[in-house]
Each structure stands twice: as C-alpha cells, then as structure tokens.
Amino acid sequence: MLRKTYVTSKSLVRSALATRSNSVPCSSRQQQSLQNFHSTRHCDSKTAAEVSMEAKLTDVLKATFVNVEDQSGGCGAQYLVECESSLFEGLSTIKQHRLVSKALKEEVADMHAIRIFTAVPKETQ
C-alpha cells in the first residue's frame, strides 16, 4: 500500500521563508509574493495534465489506484506519480517504473523531473 504524507502550504511557506531569510535577505514584498505563489495551488483540484496522465495510466496499466501531482506549482516541470497495478506483480521496481515511464512517454519528454512510486494491490500478493 502506498503511504503519503501531506504538508500544508503554510508550513511550506514558513519553511521556505525561514530558509531564504537565513541565506539571502528578501523584502516583505518578495515574501508576500512567495506566499501567494504557494497558496494558489489547492490540493483538491487537478490540472488537465494530471487528469490526462491518471486516465492513461488507469487504461494502459489497468491500475487500481493512480495519483498524479504536479509538484512544480502548476507549470508541469515536475510530477509525482503513484500507481498500483496487478501488472507489476513479479516485476522488479525498475521494471515497474519503466512500465509507467513507457505509458507516459510523450508526457515525460516535456518534464524536467518525475518521481514514481509503484505497488502491487494486496489482493494479488
């Protein structure tokens, strides 16, 4: 089963501001801009690219669970992909990840980074 940790936007902003203020001084205007940037992305809404990739993985890999998240603030440069499929049974982790990458070949070509987490459903183990 996939495990996921949720971090609130406010804690991310506080952490980013604390880190930034320790290394490079920034104005209150820059701090406000950073806060607005992080607070505009709501975890409940999915971008069209996220929905499209989830549908493709569900269809191609017969996935029982799929979650795709744009972690780049909405620009599509970095994604987190979680996928659970019975097709992964008996395959090494690298082969599972290759299946996901192959299914999303067109999308991956335009990305800067992708993080993939795969699992086999408990019913088939």
Side-chain angles (χ1 to χ4, degrees), residues 33-108:
S33 176
L34 185 60
Q35 288 174 337
N36 290 341
F37 173 77
H38 286 291
S39 64
T40 56
R41 177 78 163 113
H42 301 287
C43 294
D44 298 347
S45 62
K46 293 272 187 184
T47 65
E50 291 169 329
V51 172
S52 171
M53 285 189 273
E54 286 179 355
K56 188 177 274 190
L57 289 171
T58 301
D59 183 47
V60 173
L61 299 178
K62 311 297 185 246
T64 56
F65 171 80
V66 176
N67 181 47
V68 177
E69 290 181 22
D70 182 350
Q71 296 189 317
S72 59
C75 71
Q78 179 176 339
Y79 285 91
L80 166 79
V81 176
E82 299 170 312
C83 185
E84 185 177 273
S85 173
S86 58
L87 295 178
F88 298 148
E89 186 173 11
L91 297 178
S92 67
T93 303
I94 190 73
K95 288 182 180 179
Q96 294 174 16
H97 290 198
R98 285 181 182 156
L99 284 176
V100 172
S101 295
K102 185 177 177 182
L104 300 176
K105 184 177 182 177
E106 293 173 12
E107 292 85 351
V108 170

